[in-house]
Amino acid sequence: MGYRVVVVGATGNVGREMLNILAERQFPVDEIAALASRKSIGTEVSFGDKTLKTQDLDAFDFAGWDMALFAVGSDATKNYAPKAAAAGCVVIDNSSLYRYDPDVPLIVPEVNADAIVGYSKKNIIANPNCSTAQMVVALKPLHDRARIKRVVVSTYQSVSGAGKEGIDELWDQTKSVYNPVDDKPAKKFTKQIAFNVIPHIDVFMEDGSTKEEWKMVAETKKIIDPSIKVTATCVRVPVFVGHSEAVNIEFEDHLDEDEARDILREAPGVMVIDKREDGGYVTPVECVGDYATFISRIRQDSTIDNGLNLWCVSDNLRKGAALNAVQIAETLGTRVLKKG
C-alpha cells in the first residue's frame, strides 16, 4: 500500500521537478494530484510516463490525502497549508513561511532526519533555503568530527533560484547584448544579470545584510547547531541552474584536509571531486540533473587555526528544493507513516 500525494504548484519549476523526482525515485504512490492556481487549471504536467491535468487548488479537499508537497510562495502557503494540515494531510513546505517556527521541524534528511518526529505539532515540515541545504550537507559530517566554530560563505546563485522569470530574464538579456536595437532592462533583478553579478538576493535588512544571507545564518543554526557562527554574502550570477558556494570553516579541533576529504567521501548525499589539476573540480553546468552535492577544492586555511576551505556545488532545483522535499517525504514515510 502506497501514499496519496499532492503536489501544490505543479506547473512551476520546482513543482514539475518534484513530480519528476517522485517518479524517478519510485516513491510509493497510490494516487497523485497536481494542483495549481485557477489560471493554470487543466495544464498538463508529467509524472513518469503519465500525464496529469492540474486541478484547482482553491477547491481541493485535502481530507484523506497523506502528504502535500508545497511549491508555491509564502502568501499562498499561508492560506492553504493550514487547511491541508487541519485535514490530516502532512505538509512539506518549500517556502520560507514556516522555517523559523519553533514548532515546525526544518529538515535536511542527511543532516537531521531525527527531527522529523516534531512534525506532529502542526502537521507541517519545512524545507530549507536552497543555498543552505547544500551547505549543511557538507558541514554536518565535518562538525561531528571537529566542531565548527565559524563559517564564512560566499554564494554564486543561479537565476533559476528566482523562478521562471529569472531564467527568462537572463536568456532575453543575453540575446539582447548582441542586438543593439533590442534593449531588455532589468525587471526581475535589480540590475542587468547577463554578463554581470549582483550582490543582492531578497530584501535588505537593517544591519545591511540581505534576507537571503540571514536565512543561511538562521537555518544553519536550526538544522545543525545554534552555537555555529555564520556570515554570508549571497550573489546572483548569470548561470541558469546550479548554486555554487565558497565556504571557509573554522573548527574547534584540528582537522587536516586529507581527513576532511575522507569524511566527505563517506558522507550521505556528497560526492567529492577534488583533483589538483585542470578540470579537477565541479562547476554548476556539470551538476545539473544530479542528486548529489559536489565538493571540490578542499584545502587548509593557513591564516587561522583549524581552518579549511572548500567549494560546494549543487543543482538548486533538486537538492535545494524538490529533491530535499521528496527525501523528507521518504523519511516521513519510513519513520512515521510506514505505509509504503
Side-chain angles (χ1 to χ4, degrees), residues 20-258:
N20 289 338
I21 293 171
L22 284 165
E24 283 176 16
R25 292 171 74 91
Q26 298 181 320
F27 187 82
V29 171
D30 268 1
E31 187 177 356
I32 191 160
L35 307 187
S37 62
R38 209 156 265 175
K39 66 181 180 182
S40 299
I41 294 173
T43 300
E44 293 187 342
V45 292
S46 297
F47 175 64
D49 56 3
K50 299 178 182 177
T51 299
L52 308 176
K53 284 193 175 182
T54 56
Q55 303 176 47
D56 183 5
L57 170 59
D58 202 43
F60 190 77
D61 182 2
F62 287 92
W65 294 82
D66 295 301
M67 56 183 80
L69 281 62
F70 270 64
V72 291
S74 293
D75 289 343
T77 299
K78 188 175 183 179
N79 187 16
Y80 296 104
K83 295 177 182 177
C89 179
V90 182
V91 171
I92 300 170
D93 176 33
N94 193 59
S95 81
S96 62
L97 184 63
Y98 293 105
R99 290 175 188 160
Y100 318 106
D101 186 327
D103 291 332
V104 174
L106 180 65
I107 303 288
V108 176
E110 298 94 333
V111 176
N112 64 335
D114 290 346
I116 198 86
V117 296
Y119 87 95
S120 59
K121 292 180 181 178
K122 288 192 174 180
N123 236 21
I124 297 172
I125 303 165
N127 211 23
N129 188 42
C130 49
S131 51
T132 306
Q134 67 187 68
M135 184 173 75
V136 297
V137 168
L139 293 182
K140 181 59 164 60
L142 301 178
H143 181 65
D144 289 345
R145 162 61 181 81
R147 303 288 299 176
I148 295 172
K149 290 172 61 177
R150 181 172 185 255
V151 175
V152 181
V153 55
S154 296
T155 72
Y156 307 75
Q157 294 179 227
S158 66
V159 294
S160 57
K164 183 178 183 298
E165 291 175 334
I167 294 172
D168 290 346
E169 189 154 310
L170 174 58
W171 176 248
D172 291 340
Q173 283 185 356
T174 301
K175 291 186 294 181
S176 73
V177 166
Y178 295 99
N179 185 349
V181 298
D182 182 24
D183 182 40
K184 298 290 184 184
K187 292 182 180 178
K188 180 64 177 178
F189 301 114
T190 55
K191 298 198 179 215
Q192 176 183 312
I193 185 60
F195 301 96
N196 198 17
V197 298
I198 305 171
H200 175 195
I201 301 176
D202 213 324
V203 298
F204 275 97
M205 305 182 72
E206 285 187 9
D207 66 354
S209 62
T210 65
K211 188 75 177 289
E212 185 82 356
E213 292 156 359
W214 176 85
K215 289 173 188 174
M216 293 194 74
V217 176
E219 293 173 20
T220 301
K221 288 174 175 289
K222 184 172 180 179
I223 294 168
I224 299 182
D225 188 334
S227 68
I228 296 175
K229 296 179 179 179
V230 181
T231 182
T233 300
C234 293
V235 182
R236 190 73 71 190
V237 298
V239 170
F240 284 110
V241 178
H243 287 357
S244 306
E245 298 169 350
V247 188
N248 176 266
I249 312 164
E250 182 181 1
F251 298 92
E252 290 183 5
D253 302 320
H254 178 70
L255 177 62
D256 71 49
E257 60 190 45
D258 292 328

